[in-house]
Amino acid sequence: MGADGVRAGRGAGAKGAGTGGSRAKNGTAKGGTSGPPGKGARGGGDGGGGKPRRPRKRRVLRWSAIVLSVLILGTAGAGYLYYQHLNSNLETDDLNLGDHRAPEPTPNSAGQTPLNILLIGSDARDSKENQKLGGAKETFGGPPLADVQMLLHLSADRSNMSVISMPRDTLLTIPKCTDPDDGKVYPESGPRTMTNESLGRGGPGCTVATWEKLTNIHINHFMMVDFAGVVSMADAIGGVPVCVDKNIHSRTSEGKGSGLKLEKGTTNIKGEQALQWLRTRYGFEGGTDISRAKAQHMYMNSLVRTLRENTGLTSPNRLRKLAENATRALKVDPGIGSPLKLIGLGNELKKVSPERTTMTTMPFEYSGARVVPKPGDAEQLFRLVRDDIALDGKGKRKPAEEKLSDDPAAPDGEIALQVQNGTRTATEPAAGGRASAVAQELAGLGFVKAAPDTSASVTEDRTVIRYPSVDLEGDAQRVAKSLGMPLSSVKKSTDVSGVTLVVGADWREGDKPKKAAKQDDSTPDSADALSGSDKKACMKVDPNFTW
């Protein structure tokens, strides 16, 4: 089943998750829920029943796994005309629709920076293909939801890759987003809004903005695909091996379930059967979205290994089919809006072996039938990604270099200094009045030109001082020294126009930031990490769904 015809606009088309109505192709940008066991608040993921809503979280891997087929394998056009044809297949959309960007990471000693790519799966059911594959006819024509969200982090040195899945019903604040199509402004949401609603607030760029607001991780690109795109690309790949420990048939007496039917052991699945695997909740042990997420992680890892080994993909015709289906199925940001750019990205990702690939789920805890980031553990996982620390525990953190600037500092009283409140975390609101209070502390130390900047919306785990150009580096270091902060906390950034101190979560009170204790750089157990090299992974089947 191809992705042709899945091109309608927002509210009317699956291609691009129903967000592409007036958006141009080829680089021209436009212009249910997880619950505790037994609380399936949104039954849609496996076929309807109950309140008509879309399938539940974590199809991330269903789509992201397929998306990676393009990235890891790459494709080559058969001449200029064919390349132009592939190029015209791709649709693009704006990268970030919010009014704030997370700061770019500091390059390592070799000048390399990490790559962060948000993979999005839309549940749009506004074409015949997607409606047939997605079920829940009552939802036809409704706004699309970002039911699959996964952040792929490629390390600066390209030695390892980490992936974080976010439950689709995570409760959080969606930032203000402006739809470039019609200029509609969606105001910042309340703190208990499901993350998957971000897609309907202007497009995938709002989902990117939501991730950056929550994690403070700078996202470089996004890729999005829908139901029909999953099936067409899975067909083109030709089969991915998956394993179950018993015969399974995902179907309840009420007709719920994905319909997946497999025999015990390992089976190569493709096309619609692959979509069934990735959507199955009824049948895997536990019957929740957590077990579905595990199945999706297993599928993705298996897909990566399959593509690296080129199993079944040596035929030029099969490669062309994969290229054709992939470019038709994907919506991306302009930064990767051509086959050549996707190939370049794929070549970067190919540098990482399965052994250094780690799949995780954002640590969470239940809040009624929904989930919220788990205090401590979620921020720990986000920090590891921000600091480019491998989640497999094999990388060694290199101590930051303490290098004094060649630029002499101005007298304290002449240093213009902005102070921003970045004390908000994934689990705590910002400490009130911190920018003003710290500005007063600095004035008492002699920095009389320190002033609060209350217009900024930032979050920082640890207090940082940023400066825009080398002629202000000495001034920034002088401020750090006065506060007893290490020089590693002074960073060059184009996100600021002058020396800017961002008060982090480590300085919610008191006259100086807390001294950093030795940090634990291990991946939280609650992230449920799975190595890409684990070939023995096998889904446990609920005995009530065996045959």
Side-chain angles (χ1 to χ4, degrees):
M1 182 177 296
D4 301 299
V6 191
R7 295 277 181 193
R10 180 176 302 121
K15 169 71 174 70
T19 60
S22 61
R23 293 163 171 79
K25 295 182 183 180
N26 188 26
T28 304
K30 51 189 183 273
T33 171
S34 74
K39 289 190 178 182
R42 291 184 72 175
D46 289 323
K51 189 173 182 178
R53 300 171 94 172
R54 291 163 178 72
R56 305 166 46 112
K57 69 187 181 198
R58 301 259 193 132
R59 273 150 282 205
V60 181
L61 298 152
R62 120 173 101 172
W63 285 304
S64 45
I66 305 291
V67 166
L68 280 180
S69 67
V70 184
L71 300 182
I72 295 169
L73 180 66
T75 57
Y80 176 77
L81 291 178
Y82 185 63
Y83 176 83
Q84 288 297 96
H85 167 68
L86 293 179
N87 206 39
S88 67
N89 282 346
L90 276 170
E91 264 190 271
T92 63
D93 218 333
D94 286 12
L95 174 62
N96 189 306
L97 301 183
D99 54 5
H100 168 71
R101 293 302 311 272
E104 295 186 23
T106 302
N108 63 15
S109 57
Q112 302 166 302
T113 55
L115 268 177
N116 294 308
I117 306 161
L118 187 62
L119 306 176
I120 304 170
S122 164
D123 78 341
R125 305 176 186 191
D126 299 330
S127 72
K128 290 183 178 179
E129 287 107 325
N130 282 334
Q131 189 66 55
K132 179 180 178 182
L133 294 167
K137 295 179 181 179
E138 298 88 346
T139 65
F140 190 89
L145 298 175
D147 273 356
V148 175
Q149 300 176 36
M150 168 191 287
L151 183 67
L152 186 154
H153 171 82
L154 181 62
S155 67
D157 63 5
R158 306 306 190 248
S159 68
N160 66 89
M161 185 164 62
S162 305
V163 177
I164 301 177
S165 303
M166 184 189 295
R168 65 164 226 162
D169 56 353
T170 298
L171 299 176
L172 43 64
T173 299
I174 298 176
K176 182 178 80 171
C177 292
T178 303
D179 188 340
D181 240 6
D182 55 17
K184 182 175 180 179
V185 176
Y186 294 86
E188 182 175 278
S189 76
R192 292 181 61 81
T193 305
M194 283 175 57
T195 182
N196 65 348
E197 294 180 19
S198 59
L199 185 58
R201 298 166 66 92
C206 193
T207 306
V208 170
T210 301
W211 270 80
E212 290 203 359
K213 181 177 179 66
L214 175 69
T215 68
N216 207 30
I217 296 170
H218 185 86
I219 295 175
N220 304 94
H221 303 292
F222 78 80
M223 305 181 74
M224 184 166 69
V225 71
D226 57 26
F227 288 155
V230 172
V231 172
S232 66
M233 292 173 67
D235 271 337
I237 291 166
V240 171
V242 296
C243 174
V244 288
D245 70 348
K246 300 181 185 69
N247 294 348
I248 182 175
H249 187 199
S250 177
R251 185 68 67 196
T252 70
S253 58
E254 295 83 18
K256 298 179 181 178
S258 69
L260 179 72
K261 190 172 184 179
L262 296 175
E263 293 183 354
K264 175 182 177 180
T266 300
T267 304
N268 265 32
I269 59 173
K270 63 179 181 178
E272 191 167 348
Q273 195 174 45
L275 182 62
Q276 290 175 335
W277 172 274
L278 294 163
R279 296 185 63 222
T280 294
R281 177 164 60 92
Y282 297 108
F284 293 141
E285 188 176 67
T288 69
D289 286 327
I290 308 307
S291 53
R292 174 155 60 190
K294 290 181 180 179
Q296 292 166 346
H297 284 113
M298 290 180 189
Y299 180 90
M300 184 174 184
N301 284 337
S302 182
L303 172 66
V304 170
R305 292 193 298 267
T306 297
L307 292 172
R308 288 183 67 89
E309 295 165 2
N310 287 328
T311 304
L313 287 169
T314 55
S315 161
N317 286 335
R318 186 175 289 277
L319 287 173
R320 279 196 293 272
K321 182 180 180 182
L322 178 58
E324 184 78 29
N325 289 0
T327 52
R328 284 185 179 276
L330 295 176
K331 174 172 280 192
V332 299
D333 68 277
I336 49 174
S338 75
L340 274 181
K341 291 176 180 178
L342 287 175
I343 293 170
L345 183 57
N347 287 335
E348 291 295 291
L349 292 169
K350 283 174 66 176
K351 296 175 182 177
V352 181
S353 68
E355 290 76 16
R356 297 302 313 279
T357 299
T358 306
M359 307 290 303
T360 65
T361 298
M362 180 197 78
F364 64 87
E365 60 185 22
Y366 287 108
S367 177
R370 313 298 189 194
V371 301
V372 294
K374 185 174 182 178
D377 284 9
E379 175 55 30
Q380 167 80 343
L381 190 63
F382 299 153
R383 179 185 65 80
L384 294 178
V385 171
R386 282 197 305 266
D387 292 350
D388 198 25
I389 298 171
L391 299 187
D392 60 9
K394 297 178 182 178
K396 293 288 185 180
R397 176 198 282 268
K398 296 180 180 179
E401 296 183 7
E402 296 278 316
K403 182 182 178 182
L404 284 171
S405 173
D406 295 329
D407 172 59
D412 293 354
E414 296 180 12
I415 296 177
L417 177 61
Q418 294 289 311
V419 182
Q420 299 176 348
N421 185 350
T423 56
R424 181 179 63 84
T425 69
T427 57
E428 292 183 287
R434 288 308 291 160
S436 297
V438 171
Q440 291 177 7
E441 292 286 349
L442 288 164
L445 293 174
F447 297 94
V448 295
K449 289 188 176 182
D453 177 8
T454 57
S455 65
S457 175
V458 294
T459 60
E460 285 292 341
D461 183 39
R462 299 202 61 80
T463 300
V464 64
I465 301 172
R466 297 195 171 94
Y467 64 95
S469 54
V470 291
D471 60 313
L472 293 176
E473 183 180 21
D475 293 356
Q477 289 188 350
R478 172 60 190 157
V479 176
K481 183 178 179 181
S482 298
L483 292 171
M485 296 169 58
L487 294 185
S488 58
S489 64
V490 177
K491 302 180 183 297
K492 185 178 179 181
S493 172
T494 57
D495 292 329
V496 295
S497 58
V499 179
T500 303
L501 185 148
V502 183
V503 184
D506 60 333
W507 196 3
R508 295 179 67 87
E509 58 184 9
D511 57 359
K512 288 186 179 180
K514 295 178 181 178
K515 288 189 176 180
K518 185 176 180 180
Q519 289 184 308
D520 177 11
D521 288 342
S522 62
T523 301
D525 291 341
S526 55
D528 199 18
L530 177 67
S531 170
S533 63
D534 187 353
K535 296 183 179 181
K536 297 181 180 180
C538 197
M539 286 303 299
K540 293 183 179 180
V541 175
D542 184 333
N544 294 318
F545 290 86
T546 192
W547 54 278

